[in-house]
Amino acid sequence: MSESVALNLSSVGVIERYRKFLPVTEKTPVISLNEGSTPLIHSPRLSDTIGRGCQVYLKYEGLNPTGSFKDRGMTVAMSKAVEAGAKRVICASTGNTSAAAAAYAARAGIQCAVLLPVGKIAMGKLSQAFIHGAIVIALEGNFDQCLALIRDLSSEPGTAVVNSINPDRLEGQKTAAFEIVDALGDAPMIHLLPVGNAGNTAAYWKGYFEYQQLGQTTRLPRMIGIQAAGAAPIYYNYVIEKPETAASAIRIGNPASWNLATAAFKESGGGVDIVSDEKLFAAQKWLASNEGIFVEPASAAGVAALLKYVHRELSFESPLQSMPDNSVIVCTLTGHGLKDVASVMDDSFQPITAAPEKNAILSLLKGAQ
Ligand code: F0G
């Protein structure tokens, strides 16, 4: 390969970057969009606001090819599906999985069908499923019902399920933990992330654990999962029949990886907490206006929990109560804000009209100071 086309780490996908840790062989066709290698961004303002020497880093997964962390899992799941001869992939989704499945299936040249809860998918995500050519089926039901149907359909010949009940998805998603350790030189002390179907929690924990076994980290982080208050089955420890949250990505009442996530929280000494929708939106706005990072509402869950800590609003039993001094904290920002623009638009998002004259503009700017 000539020098001008030599690939560096950030221009290959997660299978090429972490091949030896993944369930692939040289026979596996790699279906990739160069996902992964997302930035781990230091947040000086959040670090200062928390104080006590704590340092916060943001793993911005919205910068994956389809705008969410799902791409890491989808490259492995799709590659393995094609290797096994699948002609069709299917998934249930609150939006992001369907977007990733549709894109990677287009790349692989196979059919993709997605089951979505009717009226509950952000337009950005829905548009992705359509533009990539997926068969989009809306069910009169919620995500949990969609997933139950997918389980029923999974034995159809030539069909591969690409939800996180497929272990290949978790294998791919664990690479985010590898990247964090590779960037920081060790595991963080605390890792916060939103929890919906709970696959990502399980995947990160697997990644950290494997890296520790290999001597790449000296420690394991406390895993802290954050659920939306109206869709918090793990927090309350019972199935929520009618989960409700404006953060549609995590509107899930019966997570598929419930047991794996619970084990991760327990083994890591972390736990689960909840945030209201109001706090999710406030954290989303805080990130956008203080750090220049636009995430979708569900993705702000970790930051929302940290802001609760700052404002002394945590419940007595919150796993964040016992945050040691000088903690290195990572929050995963799971998806891009442009996925779900409608949820942030309100009446205040109106441009100021002005005459096309310099002085008119200047007086507006001075007035807004
Ligand atoms: N954040 C975003 C933006 C998501 O789309 C999801 C899940 C999560 C967090 C939660 O991750 O399910 O691994 O606990 N979205 C799935 C979907 C359910 O269908 O796109 P999880």
Side-chain angles (χ1 to χ4, degrees):
M1 192 178 288
S2 77
E3 218 170 282
S4 59
V5 293
L7 297 176
N8 63 28
L9 278 186
S10 58
S11 62
V12 298
V14 298
I15 294 180
E16 292 310 340
R17 183 163 177 188
Y18 293 110
R19 174 174 279 276
K20 63 179 180 218
F21 305 105
L22 295 171
V24 292
T25 66
E26 38 325 326
K27 292 205 193 76
T28 312
V30 176
I31 314 296
S32 171
L33 289 164
N34 293 9
E35 60 292 313
S37 301
T38 54
L40 184 67
I41 305 169
H42 182 240
S43 173
R45 290 217 170 85
L46 209 40
S47 306
D48 282 354
T49 316
I50 292 171
R52 297 196 292 109
C54 293
Q55 295 301 326
V56 182
Y57 295 86
L58 306 166
K59 182 68 171 160
Y60 193 16
E61 290 286 273
L63 294 190
N64 275 296
T66 75
S68 88
F69 69 97
K70 306 284 179 178
D71 296 344
R72 293 179 185 277
M74 205 54 75
T75 182
V76 180
M78 196 68 67
S79 300
K80 295 296 285 179
V82 172
E83 183 179 13
K87 296 284 174 274
R88 174 199 297 136
V89 292
I90 55 170
C91 66
S93 184
T94 58
N96 281 321
T97 297
S98 63
Y104 282 77
R107 186 89 172 163
I110 63 174
Q111 191 185 63
C112 174
V114 302
L115 296 193
L116 312 173
V118 69
K120 298 292 181 184
I121 306 296
M123 278 312 285
K125 303 173 189 179
L126 198 56
S127 69
Q128 289 177 285
F130 278 113
I131 196 86
H132 293 304
I135 301 167
V136 179
I137 304 162
L139 287 193
E140 295 286 348
N142 60 29
F143 169 84
D144 303 295
Q145 291 161 308
C146 294
L147 188 60
L149 259 169
I150 289 292
R151 288 186 199 269
D152 265 2
L153 291 163
S154 63
S155 51
E156 289 302 306
T159 301
V161 173
V162 292
N163 276 108
S164 56
I165 53 174
N166 175 342
D168 294 328
R169 277 276 312 278
L170 304 192
E171 289 294 321
Q173 283 169 218
K174 76 183 179 188
T175 59
F178 296 166
E179 287 177 16
I180 290 166
V181 174
D182 290 343
L184 293 176
D186 207 341
M189 291 151 80
I190 293 175
H191 190 120
L192 287 140
L193 80 177
V195 177
N197 219 15
N200 213 27
T201 307
Y204 268 97
W205 183 238
K206 190 169 197 296
Y208 283 127
F209 190 78
E210 286 181 12
Y211 245 29
Q212 192 218 27
Q213 297 296 299
L214 292 164
Q216 305 277 9
T217 68
T218 64
R219 61 187 179 214
L220 289 168
R222 288 187 203 168
M223 298 297 302
I224 300 184
I226 309 298
Q227 298 199 292
I234 301 182
Y235 179 82
Y236 290 114
N237 200 24
Y238 54 79
V239 171
I240 310 283
E241 297 294 342
K242 291 199 170 122
E244 273 312 335
T245 168
S248 57
I250 52 172
R251 190 171 168 271
I252 293 176
N254 189 9
S257 296
W258 192 326
N259 290 339
L260 287 176
T262 305
F265 297 138
K266 216 176 182 168
E267 287 164 23
S268 72
V272 62
D273 205 348
I274 49 173
V275 292
S276 64
D277 280 5
E278 197 189 358
K279 295 245 181 296
L280 282 176
F281 282 101
Q284 179 193 37
K285 200 165 183 186
W286 191 95
L287 264 176
S289 56
N290 286 286
E291 297 291 16
I293 301 173
F294 185 21
V295 300
E296 65 166 287
S299 305
V303 172
L306 288 176
L307 292 175
K308 267 176 85 169
Y309 169 86
V310 169
H311 300 133
R312 298 177 193 280
E313 291 165 346
L314 291 177
S315 68
F316 185 64
E317 70 277 11
S318 169
L320 273 174
Q321 285 288 9
S322 56
M323 192 157 51
D325 288 351
N326 305 313
S327 286
V328 177
I329 304 165
V330 169
C331 281
T332 301
L333 308 178
T334 46
H336 204 289
L338 291 173
K339 292 261 193 183
D340 188 6
V341 175
S343 71
V344 293
M345 294 299 278
D346 64 35
D347 293 344
S348 69
F349 282 35
Q350 289 293 338
I352 314 164
T353 45
E357 289 160 17
K358 181 179 173 187
N359 284 340
I361 308 290
L362 282 177
S363 65
L364 276 175
L365 298 184
K366 282 180 191 143
Q369 254 167 9

